[in-house]
Amino acid sequence: MEEEGIVKKFCYMNRKAPYGTIYALESLEVVLIAAAFDQDISLVFADDGVYQLTKNQDTDGIGMKNFSKTYSALGDYDIKKIYVEKESLEERGLTTDDLQALKYEDEDDDWAEKDSLFVVGRDELSKIINEQDVVLSF
Amino acid sequence: MEEEGIVKKFCYMNRKAPYGTIYALESLEVVLIAAAFDQDISLVFADDGVYQLTKNQDTDGIGMKNFSKTYSALGDYDIKKIYVEKESLEERGLTTDDLQALKYEDEDDDWAEKDSLFVVGRDELSKIINEQDVVLSF
Amino acid sequence: MSALHIVNKSPFERNSLASCLRLAAKGSAVLLFEDGVIGAMKNTKHSDAVANAMSDVSFYVLGPDIKARGLNDGNVIDGIKVIDYDGFVDLTTEHKSVQSWL
Amino acid sequence: MSALHIVNKSPFERNSLASCLRLAAKGSAVLLFEDGVIGAMKNTKHSDAVANAMSDVSFYVLGPDIKARGLNDGNVIDGIKVIDYDGFVDLTTEHKSVQSWL
Amino acid sequence: MKFGIVINEGPYTHQASDSALQFVKSALAKGHEIFRIFFYHDGVNNGTSLGVPPQDDRNLPNEWSELAEKNGLDLVVCVAAAQRRGMLDEDEMKRHGKDSNNLVKGFRISGLGQLIEAGIQSDRLVTFGD
Amino acid sequence: MKFGIVINEGPYTHQASDSALQFVKSALAKGHEIFRIFFYHDGVNNGTSLGVPPQDDRNLPNEWSELAEKNGLDLVVCVAAAQRRGMLDEDEMKRHGKDSNNLVKGFRISGLGQLIEAGIQSDRLVTFGD
């Protein structure tokens, strides 16, 4: 079906910390639905959005649902372009060790497990954003 | 009645520009109601809140109600302590000439018209805020 | 065609204008509207940052939002074009995509 | 008794922590909670500003909000006390008033 | 040109709904097509039938409703966001065993797929929010 | 000690209502009195009876309602804010000629004077918002 329809580059831009607002959760929800539409999907985590991907989130003390495990399911939905801004991490004293490892299985390479999370510098991220057809902000 | 009841120092802290959010309008509404409660009322305008007091607001182009004339009615409600942070004005390139002149009539001085708007420096404002019993944030 | 970035918050209150200017590609356009018009004003703490960014991106500001806040077009930084809602619509058609910095 | 100031936004996103620190009287207390806990973290762009303010005000941070965001108490700037909701309630009783920086 | 519009905030508290309304009116006046207006997050509250704003103020849900009727606009309220926030049409009311509904005429409730479709089908997607 | 609580944001979108709930539970457990909880601005949406959040998620309006019933809390929804945003109880529904109401049990609608009174009567007023 894909070749018959329109395929656009969709970018989901995540710039807010999780739990303080609902946007991180609602972004995840729409991305899982978007995965069924055969579009070219990228996720971007910049500014405080990088905190969405931290390991070991524990929401027991605040009475809210912990949705952080869902990020590791993105690979199963064939979402494999997840960009994290390098400078946003640095300004927050974070490294990739603080983030979940996100993977997908490459069907064109005997289902080898590959990284889907890419730490990119400001200039590269700027280029990626500029190539998008549709940017949804969360 | 006043001497029989509790009189607290109430401060209405306004830190946001008008129209982008409803807080400026809702702050005005509550202040007019609060005036009936015989409490010691101060209004503070700091950060982008100083834009609430600009002259010549004209909302025709955005389809919203212009409520800026109401500020000049505050004097009639015996609200006569209106503080604007000097540094917030300066950082925005504004002077008191850009703001409405707010006055009240002093019943203890033969109804002489007096200023109710005071431009105060950071240190003085800090003291004023610290003396309050109740601070409501808008 | 380049992208249009739209910013609706004051640079005094939020980081959205700064983030936009950091990530907007050279040659793109930025529209300041709602409380974002504060970023288009002369003689503020943020005016220099905006003026400096004009070498990379072109700025527009929504006139009706300026007037609502008691500001006037004369206070807009030189080189920023004041437009109305019709101009806003035209801007979106003249750029390949529209990104909101919320 | 001094005042308690409560800040629920990240210093990266909003100006509320900066405004609070600018206007909080010497000797008052500041509680960082919700996304505000980001302001209590070591090694960020804002850590120095917070650490420097500790000579004038005392800082507290809400532990449950730290944990929710995958951060841990070990990353909290030295001298900031980690408390829970019970501690939050106690703080409000120990100060003469509570101001929210929204 | 074909526009998709996304509104992330409810009426009154933020300017988002007002700005979107002005934008849509201008776009229509210029002869553009509005493919869909998608009400997302707190934006679902723009669909309320129960608002009673002050008489000298605008009634945003009604303005959307009337603009939609006059121009055949497709006003879609995100079902997931609406369920969290208590916006129900008659069908949803029955399905969830509630005894009231509060969606004003001209709005319909549907899924997030409608947002993706708006992104695919529209030449430009413009989002208004906080 | 006697607390007044102000909640400026609706359920789910911002953490305000959650934080307030945790704070109030702690205060009650410590034996403090909650003089009143005032729902202001978008906070009025915490009073909706029509919410249907996902089954694995919390139901904030119900949590407030139940906490109020158990502890005799006074939950007041600001009438001016509620009218703008479409929150009505039965009286308001009739008064404005609407055919639905959406205020959950345990909340009541009243004026801004109730906020001022909470400021006067409470030892501490604590505001949760955006």
Side-chain angles (χ1 to χ4, degrees):
Chain A
M1 290 293 283
E2 205 174 310
E3 65 273 22
E4 297 180 72
I6 305 166
V7 178
K8 286 190 176 179
K9 293 172 90 70
F10 272 73
C11 173
Y12 297 82
M13 169 66 78
N14 302 287
R15 292 181 50 246
K16 298 200 168 70
Y19 307 111
T21 54
I22 202 173
Y23 302 109
L25 171 61
E26 294 203 301
S27 173
L28 257 181
E29 285 179 352
V30 72
V31 164
L32 296 182
I33 287 168
F37 280 76
D38 290 329
Q39 302 292 307
D40 180 350
I41 296 181
S42 297
L43 270 56
V44 172
F45 295 86
D47 293 315
D48 285 341
V50 300
Y51 290 113
Q52 295 181 25
L53 299 177
T54 54
K55 287 176 188 166
N56 305 323
Q57 294 179 17
D58 172 0
T59 59
D60 285 351
I62 60 168
M64 294 169 77
K65 197 172 69 170
N66 179 352
F67 53 80
S68 65
K69 295 235 157 34
T70 314
Y71 293 105
S72 61
L74 290 171
D76 303 336
Y77 287 80
D78 213 30
I79 290 166
K80 45 196 183 194
K81 292 191 281 187
I82 300 174
Y83 301 104
V84 178
E85 195 198 37
K86 184 170 166 279
E87 288 83 352
S88 289
L89 286 176
E90 286 170 357
E91 290 177 352
R92 286 159 186 78
L94 298 174
T95 69
T96 44
D97 288 346
D98 298 305
L99 306 185
Q100 299 186 48
L102 301 180
K103 310 275 188 186
Y104 75 103
E105 295 178 343
D106 189 348
E107 58 178 327
D108 299 329
D109 189 9
D110 200 22
W111 305 100
E113 202 175 63
K114 297 186 177 176
D115 285 329
S116 52
L117 187 152
F118 304 94
V119 175
V120 294
R122 200 150 281 187
D123 291 343
E124 194 180 343
L125 185 58
S126 178
K127 263 181 223 146
I128 291 165
I129 293 173
N130 198 48
E131 287 164 359
Q132 303 298 319
D133 298 308
V134 179
V135 179
L136 286 161
S137 306
F138 291 90
Chain B
M1 292 293 284
E2 205 173 310
E3 64 275 21
E4 297 180 75
I6 305 166
V7 178
K8 285 190 176 179
K9 293 173 89 71
F10 272 73
C11 173
Y12 297 83
M13 169 65 76
N14 302 287
R15 293 181 49 246
K16 297 199 167 71
Y19 307 111
T21 54
I22 202 174
Y23 301 109
L25 171 60
E26 294 202 302
S27 174
L28 257 180
E29 284 179 353
V30 73
V31 164
L32 296 181
I33 287 167
F37 279 76
D38 289 330
Q39 302 292 306
D40 180 351
I41 295 181
S42 297
L43 271 56
V44 172
F45 295 86
D47 293 314
D48 285 341
V50 300
Y51 290 112
Q52 294 182 25
L53 299 177
T54 54
K55 287 176 186 167
N56 306 322
Q57 294 179 19
D58 172 2
T59 60
D60 286 351
I62 60 168
M64 294 168 77
K65 197 173 72 170
N66 180 352
F67 52 81
S68 66
K69 295 235 157 33
T70 314
Y71 291 104
S72 60
L74 290 171
D76 302 335
Y77 288 79
D78 213 29
I79 290 166
K80 45 197 182 193
K81 292 191 283 187
I82 300 173
Y83 301 105
V84 177
E85 196 199 37
K86 184 170 165 281
E87 288 82 353
S88 289
L89 286 176
E90 287 169 357
E91 290 177 351
R92 286 159 185 79
L94 298 174
T95 69
T96 44
D97 287 346
D98 298 304
L99 306 185
Q100 299 186 46
L102 301 180
K103 311 274 188 186
Y104 75 103
E105 294 178 345
D106 188 347
E107 59 177 325
D108 299 329
D109 189 10
D110 200 22
W111 306 101
E113 201 175 66
K114 297 186 176 175
D115 285 328
S116 52
L117 187 154
F118 304 94
V119 175
V120 294
R122 201 150 281 188
D123 292 342
E124 194 181 343
L125 184 58
S126 177
K127 263 181 223 148
I128 291 166
I129 292 173
N130 199 48
E131 287 164 359
Q132 303 298 319
D133 297 307
V134 179
V135 179
L136 287 160
S137 306
F138 291 90
Chain C
M1 275 197 288
S2 62
L4 172 66
H5 299 269
I6 66 176
V7 175
N8 71 334
K9 292 295 169 191
S10 161
F12 285 95
E13 192 204 351
R14 306 257 182 132
N15 70 343
S16 50
L17 178 58
S19 293
C20 167
L21 295 181
R22 184 179 95 216
L23 291 174
K26 217 169 171 153
S28 42
V30 176
L31 169 65
L32 304 169
F33 73 120
E34 296 183 359
D35 290 346
V37 301
I38 293 167
M41 295 295 124
K42 275 181 192 163
N43 303 321
T44 83
K45 208 176 73 172
H46 296 279
S47 305
D48 284 349
V50 171
N52 290 338
M54 288 174 61
S55 51
D56 288 336
V57 298
S58 44
F59 280 95
Y60 299 84
V61 60
L62 198 66
D65 277 321
I66 293 179
K67 285 198 178 62
R69 286 153 187 84
L71 303 170
N72 70 70
D73 298 1
N75 289 332
V76 170
I77 295 169
D78 295 331
I80 299 185
K81 204 172 160 193
V82 182
I83 61 171
D84 59 11
Y85 284 101
D86 282 353
F88 184 176
V89 172
D90 290 344
L91 263 187
T92 62
T93 65
E94 293 157 6
H95 292 83
K96 62 168 189 170
S97 65
V98 185
Q99 179 173 355
S100 288
W101 290 83
L102 301 179
Chain D
M1 272 198 291
S2 63
L4 172 66
H5 300 270
I6 66 176
V7 176
N8 72 333
K9 292 295 170 191
S10 160
F12 285 95
E13 192 204 350
R14 306 255 183 136
N15 71 342
S16 50
L17 177 58
S19 293
C20 167
L21 295 180
R22 184 179 95 217
L23 291 174
K26 218 170 169 150
S28 41
V30 176
L31 169 66
L32 303 170
F33 73 119
E34 298 183 358
D35 290 345
V37 300
I38 292 166
M41 294 296 124
K42 274 182 193 163
N43 303 321
T44 81
K45 207 176 75 173
H46 297 278
S47 305
D48 284 350
V50 171
N52 289 338
M54 289 174 58
S55 51
D56 288 335
V57 298
S58 42
F59 280 95
Y60 300 83
V61 61
L62 198 66
D65 277 321
I66 294 178
K67 285 198 177 63
R69 286 153 188 83
L71 303 169
N72 71 70
D73 297 2
N75 288 332
V76 170
I77 295 167
D78 294 332
I80 299 185
K81 205 173 162 194
V82 181
I83 61 171
D84 59 10
Y85 285 100
D86 282 351
F88 184 175
V89 173
D90 290 344
L91 264 187
T92 61
T93 65
E94 292 157 7
H95 291 83
K96 63 168 188 172
S97 65
V98 185
Q99 179 172 354
S100 287
W101 291 84
L102 302 179
Chain E
M1 208 171 243
K2 215 189 289 183
F3 283 96
I5 306 290
V6 183
I7 301 179
N8 288 350
E9 289 291 335
Y12 308 112
T13 311
H14 301 87
Q15 201 182 340
S17 181
D18 290 283
S19 295
L21 193 65
Q22 301 294 336
F23 182 91
V24 167
K25 284 179 181 171
S26 277
L28 290 169
K30 285 176 158 285
H32 294 297
E33 181 188 340
I34 304 294
F35 176 75
R36 176 169 296 147
I37 302 178
F38 191 83
F39 295 86
Y40 198 20
H41 310 299
D42 273 1
V44 300
N45 294 323
N46 285 288
T48 183
S49 63
L50 303 181
V52 192
Q55 293 206 325
D56 60 347
D57 204 350
R58 67 219 186 277
N59 185 321
L60 283 167
N62 286 359
E63 291 207 28
W64 282 116
S65 178
E66 287 159 18
L67 195 70
E69 186 165 23
K70 207 180 298 175
N71 298 279
L73 302 182
D74 186 20
L75 307 184
V76 176
V77 169
C78 171
V79 63
Q83 286 178 349
R84 279 201 183 89
R85 292 167 182 84
M87 292 296 308
L88 302 175
D89 60 10
E90 241 184 280
D91 282 355
E92 284 279 302
M93 169 185 87
K94 287 175 192 158
R95 198 153 68 89
H96 297 292
K98 299 284 184 181
D99 50 14
S100 279
N101 58 77
N102 58 347
L103 199 71
V104 78
K105 206 183 131 194
F107 287 76
R108 66 187 179 93
I109 294 183
S110 190
L112 279 164
Q114 300 270 315
L115 169 61
I116 310 300
E117 197 198 12
I120 296 171
Q121 297 297 332
S122 305
D123 299 305
R124 301 287 183 276
L125 193 72
V126 187
T127 305
F128 296 87
D130 177 28
Chain F
M1 209 171 239
K2 216 189 289 182
F3 282 96
I5 305 290
V6 184
I7 301 178
N8 288 350
E9 288 291 335
Y12 308 112
T13 310
H14 301 87
Q15 202 181 340
S17 181
D18 291 284
S19 294
L21 193 64
Q22 301 295 337
F23 182 91
V24 167
K25 284 179 181 171
S26 278
L28 290 169
K30 284 176 159 286
H32 294 296
E33 181 189 340
I34 305 293
F35 175 76
R36 176 171 296 148
I37 302 178
F38 191 82
F39 295 87
Y40 197 20
H41 310 299
D42 273 0
V44 299
N45 294 322
N46 285 288
T48 183
S49 62
L50 303 181
V52 193
Q55 294 206 326
D56 60 345
D57 204 350
R58 68 220 185 275
N59 186 321
L60 284 166
N62 287 359
E63 291 206 30
W64 282 115
S65 178
E66 286 159 20
L67 194 71
E69 187 165 23
K70 208 180 298 176
N71 298 279
L73 302 182
D74 185 21
L75 308 184
V76 177
V77 170
C78 170
V79 63
Q83 287 177 346
R84 278 200 183 90
R85 293 168 182 83
M87 292 295 308
L88 302 175
D89 60 10
E90 240 184 282
D91 283 354
E92 284 278 301
M93 169 184 87
K94 286 174 191 156
R95 197 153 68 89
H96 298 291
K98 299 284 185 180
D99 50 14
S100 280
N101 58 77
N102 59 346
L103 199 71
V104 79
K105 206 182 131 194
F107 288 73
R108 65 186 179 93
I109 293 183
S110 191
L112 279 164
Q114 301 271 313
L115 169 61
I116 310 301
E117 197 200 11
I120 296 171
Q121 297 297 333
S122 305
D123 298 306
R124 301 288 182 276
L125 193 72
V126 187
T127 305
F128 296 87
D130 177 30

